[in-house]
Structure formats: C-alpha cells, structure tokens
Amino acid sequence: MLLLTKEDIKKVFTMKDAIDAVKTAFKLYSEGKSVVPLRTNIDVPKFQGQSLFMPGYVEDLNSLGIKIVSVFPKNAQKNIPSVPAKMILLDGTAGDVCCVMDGTYLTQLRTGAGSGAATDILSNKDSKIGALIGTGGQAKCQLEAMLSVRELEEVRVYSLEYEKSYEFAENMQRELKDYNAKIIPVKSSDEAVCNADIITAVTTSKNPVFDGKKVKKGAHINGVGSYTPNMQEMDEYIVSKADGFYVDSKEAVLSEAGDILIPIDKGIVTKDRIDGEIGELLTGKIKGRRSKEDITIYKTVGISVMDIVTAYKIYEKALKMGIGVFADI
C-alpha cells in the first residue's frame, strides 16, 4: 500500500495533469462507465461534526475507492484541521487497498481542475479578466485552474474581509508568478465581476455573493461553493437568464445544490434549466457556447469519479517516479 502526502502529490501532479484527469472522469461519468452513488453524510452531533463518505468505481481503470471527508469546526480550537480528508484507492482487479493519499489536497486539486475543464470548454478563448470570489482553502487551486487554461492579464480577488483578499492576492502573486497575471485585491464583488470574462465563486455563503445583473455578455461563471440545498452563491437572475447552464452531475446537483434548488423552489426555473453535463460536452453529445455573447455557467457539487480518476492517475505517476512510502498492513 502506497502512502502519499500533499507534498508527494505536488511532486508528481500538476494542475494541467489534474484538468486532463478530470476531463476523463467527466466523460466516463456521462457515458455511464462509472458507478457513483450519492455521498453518505453521517452527523456527529456530540462534537458538532459530520463525515461524508464518497464511494465509486471506474471499470475502465480497474479502480475503485472512497474518499472520507469530515467537517469538525471545533478542531480549530485544537490546532488540527477542521476539514480532514483521506482518499482510499483500491485495486479493482483484487479488491484490496493499494494507496491512501491526502484527501484534502486531492479535493482542492480535482475541484479546481473541474472548473478548469469547464472554463476551457465554455469560456471565450480570448478571455483576459478573471474574478475570484472567496479566499478559503479551495481558492488557490481555483485560481490556478483559471490561469492554466486561459492567458489572463489580471484576476480580481474578493472576500468579505479586504485584509484576507489583500493577503491572498499577495501570496498568489508570488506563488503563481509564472502565469504572468496581475492578482488584484478588490473591496466589492461589483468591482470583481465588472467586465470580467471568467468568474469563479468558491464560498460557503447561504446568500448570493455577486449581482448577476453586473455580469457582462460573453462571461463564463463557475459556481463551486454551494453544495447543500440551503447554500447559494449565484442569484436567481443569472441562473434564469444565462444562455447555458452545465453541471458535473445532474443527479448530484439536483439533490444538493442550492444554486439551482432555491430557484426551482421559488418557481423561477425548472429542472430543465440544466442544459447538460460537462461530460456530454466533451463527448460531443451536446453543444456548449454558441456565440461570443453567451453567458455560460458551470455548477459543481463534486462527484467521486473525479476523485477516483485523479487519485488513480496520481498513484500511477507516483509509482513511476518512486514517490511515497510503502506500508504493508
């Protein structure tokens, strides 16, 4: 059994590698070539926590696995991660565990890669201005994914606390300097989205984080943070008026994402608002952007096939490069 830390993963896998892996995952999912049960959520009220179990199987790769993600906010008081996660990968030919890796970084990487894949498929090729709303643990990978697929000149960063926006922008300007984009902190979401070609929202908000009426024609939006029925980052206006609304999984989004469930409950849109899955775009089953003026949306809640394919590709590369530590249990 191979053990891989966050640093091990970084040594063997780039954001572009992750985007390629997630594109494969989306295709397999939409072609019905994976088994992806809805995640199981177990509440732990005694410690005000919850654990989520995300299993899946991909026959083409002879791989299956489960990612376990816990949310225990009080962990912060103990100086331990409040959202610990591990990915357990199994050899699909024998059914035994072949790899355990850091699930927190894997989640950040594959979630960012999902937005990167959608942005690559749906945004205008000449996009120059990006907007990033949210500066939490997912934000860096979301930013790098955006920069990986488009030659952006600047990305505006906004969070509720300007100090966090400023600090994040400063750090990212150094860490992602090879992309040659200006990372600029701003003091309002209006300032962030004004004339932006690509907008990524990655927050835990229960209320819309930007004004949909301020989104320019031709923009592409990634809605990442709303993963429960009562969370909402995009307002009803932009959800109802966008020219294209695409998802990672129809089943998962219609079960979990407040961004679409809240407008449905209000009678503003129906389930037909979803035009299709990213995997269907990649296989050519449906069409995406039809003109430079279209506003497109990608809504994700995350599905286990993204974890399994990405983890499998990481595992393959780590074996070839001799990275990680073996344990015999």
Side-chain angles (χ1 to χ4, degrees), residues 94-107:
D96 200 6
V97 175
C98 59
C99 183
V100 177
M101 68 180 66
D102 183 297
T104 303
Y105 183 61
L106 173 68
T107 302

Side-chain angles (χ1 to χ4, degrees), residues 1 26 29 69 78 90 136 139 147 152 160 188-189 208 214 222 241 252 297 320 326:
M1 182 172 62
F26 284 152
Y29 178 78
V69 184
K78 308 173 189 174
L90 283 75
L147 296 171
L152 300 181
L160 289 175
S188 71
S189 61
K214 301 289 176 68
N222 297 307
K241 298 298 183 183
I297 292 174
K320 289 179 182 177
F326 280 98

Side-chain angles (χ1 to χ4, degrees), residues 172-187:
M172 293 304 101
Q173 191 69 72
R174 287 193 304 272
E175 293 184 34
L176 302 176
K177 64 181 183 299
D178 291 344
Y179 289 102
N180 298 314
K182 293 180 181 178
I183 314 299
I184 303 168
V186 295
K187 295 185 176 180

Side-chain angles (χ1 to χ4, degrees), residues 152-320:
L152 300 181
E153 294 175 355
E154 70 176 57
V155 179
R156 303 159 187 163
V157 178
Y158 170 71
S159 71
L160 289 175
E161 297 178 41
Y162 179 73
E163 292 77 11
K164 288 185 178 179
S165 301
Y166 181 85
E167 183 180 359
F168 178 85
E170 287 280 293
N171 290 337
M172 293 304 101
Q173 191 69 72
R174 287 193 304 272
E175 293 184 34
L176 302 176
K177 64 181 183 299
D178 291 344
Y179 289 102
N180 298 314
K182 293 180 181 178
I183 314 299
I184 303 168
V186 295
K187 295 185 176 180
S188 71
S189 61
D190 282 356
E191 191 178 351
V193 304
C194 178
N195 208 36
D197 300 298
I198 301 166
I199 301 166
T200 296
V202 56
T203 74
T204 56
S205 180
K206 293 184 178 179
N207 299 293
V209 296
F210 64 92
D211 184 347
K213 294 179 181 177
K214 301 289 176 68
V215 175
K216 67 176 279 190
K217 285 288 186 183
H220 170 68
I221 302 165
N222 297 307
V224 181
S226 165
Y227 56 86
T228 67
N230 66 339
M231 296 171 74
Q232 186 181 22
E233 293 184 304
M234 296 182 284
D235 60 24
E236 289 89 351
Y237 176 85
I238 197 64
V239 169
S240 63
K241 298 298 183 183
D243 299 284
F245 191 102
Y246 305 92
V247 299
D248 50 2
S249 161
K250 290 179 186 176
E251 180 185 22
V253 167
L254 287 171
S255 297
E256 301 174 0
D259 277 330
I260 187 74
L261 293 176
I262 291 170
I264 288 174
D265 288 344
K266 290 182 177 181
I268 296 170
V269 300
T270 68
K271 293 179 180 180
D272 292 337
R273 164 72 279 211
I274 296 176
D275 294 297
E277 295 173 343
I278 294 296
E280 294 175 311
L281 290 172
L282 286 162
T283 58
K285 184 177 179 180
I286 60 173
K287 291 185 178 180
R289 174 177 293 277
R290 289 171 170 78
S291 79
K292 284 183 69 68
E293 298 297 302
D294 281 359
I295 294 175
T296 57
I297 292 174
Y298 163 65
K299 176 61 213 158
T300 176
V301 293
I303 47 178
S304 64
V305 67
M306 298 164 69
D307 296 302
I308 292 168
V309 175
T310 306
Y312 177 80
K313 298 292 186 181
I314 291 168
Y315 172 64
E316 270 193 326
K317 288 197 73 174
L319 286 178
K320 289 179 182 177

